[in-house]
Amino acid sequence: MDTWSYFRTCLASIWLHRFYIYSALALGISLWIVTQFTTTKTKKKGEKSSGNPTSSKGTEDKLVNGCATPQAEEVYVAGVKIFYGSQTGTAKRFAKALAEAVTSLNLPVEVINMGDYDPDDCLAEETTSRSICVFLVATYTDGQPPESAAWFCKWLEEAANDFRVGKTHLKGLRYAVFGLGNSVYVDHYNTVGRRMDRWLWMLGASRVMTRAEGDCNVAQSRHGSIEGDFQAWKAKFLTRLQALCRGEKKPCSGKCKKGKCKSPGKQSKESSDHERGASEHENTEAEELFETSSEEEADAEEAGGTNSIIDVEDLGNIMGHMKKAKREHELQEGDVGRRENPGRKEEEEEEKREMITPALRDALTKQGYKLIGSHSGVKLCRWTKSMLRGRGGCYKHTFYGIESHRCMEATPSLACANKCVFCWRHHTNPVGTEWRWKMDQPELILQEAIENHQNMIRQFRGVSGVKAARFEEALTVKHCALSLVGEPIMYPQINRFVRLLHQHSISTFLVTNAQFPEEIRSLEPVTQLYVSVDASTRESLRRIDRPLFKDFWQRFLDSLKALAEKEQRTVYRLTLVKAWNVDELKAYAELISLGKPDFIEVKFKVDGEWFTWIDYERFQELVRERERSGGSRTFTAADYTARTPPWALFGARERGFDPLDVRFQRRNKARDVSGC
């Protein structure tokens, strides 16, 4: 009983003093929470100041239940890749100097000559490599890049302006550009660096700092020499690189004014402290060294770029481009909507854009093209001019009997599905894998083609040396070479266009790049069908023709098979480029066996005589007979061959030159430039 009484007394005492007990417990818990919070904050602050979030903990802290923690996975900068394009060695020297400075920060670094780098295959990989890409590029003669950087720059330009390449193609790539130039050349000062900066931005890449420019003109250089400009920029870049290593996210939006970045988003405290602590002298240098590229990119935004901040005034333009892109996407999806609602066909046709843009029209017009409608063109061949003067015709005159002064070179489609490295049209024509533009009717194209061709011929009236008889003959077109530029067979109404030419008694010589096998199969008879065989293996074709189709090799083989099914004359055009494809003779032989062209495997030696020429009148008769029979009456190449004249045979004294003409040699030129 005494024990029980004592226990009751204790419980009563605790109950009476419960308030003090609760207070003591609450105070103890509060002190423990404050201690834990303070300790954790101190640890985090120590990790941040170390500059490497993954090095502050040991290996044992990096795994939780066998899995890497998010903090252990995150590496903000994996390394730096320095690309240089140099003509005299200055950019290369700067690249090595920058590499040494980056190495001192314990970061992996790689120095790359742009001439040894294939951006088509490798540059997209940098979007996920977490490396910082630095581009040191010089501007050479007439604003052109150095020879070693020419292909790199050309690829960037084409990708940035190619509507098939997405505007996020290089999203994730972080970069900085330092251009080398000479302000004495006012019109071309640092144009290569400026363009490269813009093209990268247009492809979705993010600047880590605004473009900088070094000036070889010591009188205008901000720091007394291009070396001084580079040293000032290098110091800024290294500071920015260290900030990136700490995980600061402050990308340049392209709206920078005199080096002061106006990028959106909250800046880190460390970055703000660093900027506040910078001296007035350093700020002045930054203002002088860096210059804005916002004016250049405003143009790009109007073209559909949306990577940077958009002003309210520009919102209408951006929305317009977005609607246009949406319409184009719907057109790519197929013809389902058109089949369900045929009444929209004309409306959709109006919504399609024209193939020839104003800039393209200006460029082609300067090159001598006479453009027709929205996607066709005609141009006067130099051999037409030569034969008007009686100085000889092109090889087709020797091989096939074409009268060069009566030949019209034209195309119903300026677009092509390849971007060949040897393209003699300088890649000015548009590219695509299908017809997605407004379409002109074949009657309009033919009428304007003949009119434009005749107008160009009339310019030779009264020109010294022009033969009057040939001038009159030239006004009547007898042949049409559908090989001017682009891929004529892409034109959806190519068969109607060919029929119209034949109705005007104009022979047809059509060239295709062997990427449209179905169109070749469905093509109506032409006088002679050419296929350009630019390579004999898949890899060399990819490198040389740079086709747009992913299944380009199968399309190529299927096109050759389709050629073998043709009953009319067919020709392989072999394009051999030294050091590219001339050593693939066995593979070429296999392709020849596949397509069975008439003018590799010559089939027209009859009774000991060669029949390589064409009886053009007989061809037109056969075409008309086929049309009258509704296509049931066919004909073959042998039905319209003609005997080859003796002067056009191999070994003839005339060496393939028509004796009716007179050889012409240009002044101070020893070699023969006429004939074949």
Side-chain angles (χ1 to χ4, degrees), residues 172-234:
L173 185 150
R174 297 177 292 176
Y175 75 96
V177 174
F178 181 84
L180 293 80
N182 193 323
S183 59
V184 170
Y185 305 99
V186 179
D187 295 337
H188 304 297
Y189 176 58
N190 260 311
T191 55
V192 177
R194 295 175 183 180
R195 290 169 181 169
M196 180 175 288
D197 180 42
R198 181 183 179 185
W199 294 330
L200 288 165
W201 177 84
M202 290 173 66
L203 288 169
S206 301
R207 296 185 190 86
V208 298
M209 60 192 301
T210 312
R211 182 191 70 250
E213 297 175 350
D215 193 350
C216 289
N217 181 9
V218 295
Q220 296 294 326
S221 172
R222 297 293 187 185
H223 301 86
S225 66
I226 193 169
E227 285 78 8
D229 294 337
F230 172 71
Q231 291 298 331
W233 172 80
K234 184 177 73 170

Side-chain angles (χ1 to χ4, degrees), residues 461-479:
R461 185 188 300 274
V463 173
S464 177
V466 172
K467 294 187 175 183
R470 289 192 175 177
F471 175 81
E472 294 300 327
E473 290 175 346
L475 292 173
T476 302
V477 178
K478 187 177 180 180
H479 316 286

Side-chain angles (χ1 to χ4, degrees), residues 616-634:
Y616 294 101
E617 293 183 0
R618 179 58 181 156
F619 173 78
Q620 299 297 345
E621 292 175 1
L622 293 170
V623 168
R624 287 192 288 270
E625 290 175 5
R626 180 180 181 276
E627 290 183 354
R628 285 195 293 267
S629 67
S632 61
R633 183 168 182 177
T634 61

Side-chain angles (χ1 to χ4, degrees), residues 378 408 446-456 458:
V378 64
M408 176 177 69
L446 180 58
Q447 178 184 347
E448 294 196 14
I450 293 176
E451 290 177 357
N452 278 289
H453 179 79
Q454 290 173 336
N455 289 336
M456 289 186 285
R458 290 191 179 98

Side-chain angles (χ1 to χ4, degrees), residues 207-370:
R207 296 185 190 86
V208 298
M209 60 192 301
T210 312
R211 182 191 70 250
E213 297 175 350
D215 193 350
C216 289
N217 181 9
V218 295
Q220 296 294 326
S221 172
R222 297 293 187 185
H223 301 86
S225 66
I226 193 169
E227 285 78 8
D229 294 337
F230 172 71
Q231 291 298 331
W233 172 80
K234 184 177 73 170
K236 292 291 181 183
F237 172 76
L238 294 175
T239 300
R240 180 72 182 118
L241 182 61
Q242 289 175 305
L244 290 170
C245 289
R246 292 193 294 269
E248 297 178 13
K249 298 179 180 179
K250 182 189 171 187
C252 177
S253 67
K255 294 294 183 182
C256 307
K257 296 289 185 181
K258 296 183 179 179
K260 298 178 180 178
C261 188
K262 295 183 179 180
S263 302
K266 184 178 179 180
Q267 302 178 6
S268 65
K269 185 176 185 299
E270 291 83 354
S271 177
S272 299
D273 292 341
H274 171 74
E275 289 179 0
R276 285 194 298 269
S279 66
E280 182 179 348
H281 175 68
E282 289 176 337
N283 287 335
T284 303
E285 282 190 346
E287 290 179 1
E288 293 175 343
L289 178 63
F290 302 119
E291 62 179 71
T292 180
S293 57
S294 60
E295 291 182 2
E296 296 174 354
E297 286 151 9
D299 298 334
E301 286 181 7
E302 291 179 3
T306 57
N307 287 17
S308 61
I309 301 174
I310 302 172
D311 293 333
V312 175
E313 296 90 333
D314 298 328
L315 195 56
N317 289 334
I318 298 297
M319 292 301 294
H321 288 296
M322 292 175 65
K323 290 179 180 178
K324 185 177 181 181
K326 182 180 179 181
R327 288 197 300 267
E328 292 175 357
H329 176 72
E330 291 172 351
L331 290 173
Q332 289 179 352
E333 293 298 322
D335 297 328
V336 177
R338 282 192 287 272
R339 288 195 295 267
E340 294 177 352
N341 188 2
R344 285 188 52 83
K345 185 175 181 180
E346 293 183 1
E347 181 180 346
E348 290 180 355
E349 186 66 29
E350 291 179 358
E351 291 178 350
K352 290 182 180 179
R353 60 180 176 178
E354 294 187 353
M355 181 186 295
I356 305 177
T357 63
L360 179 60
R361 185 176 295 275
D362 291 341
L364 293 175
T365 301
K366 290 177 181 178
Q367 295 177 33
Y369 291 83
K370 301 297 181 183

Side-chain angles (χ1 to χ4, degrees), residues 158-170:
E158 290 179 353
N161 294 287
D162 192 339
F163 64 86
R164 299 170 300 106
V165 179
K167 297 305 178 185
T168 59
H169 183 64
L170 295 181

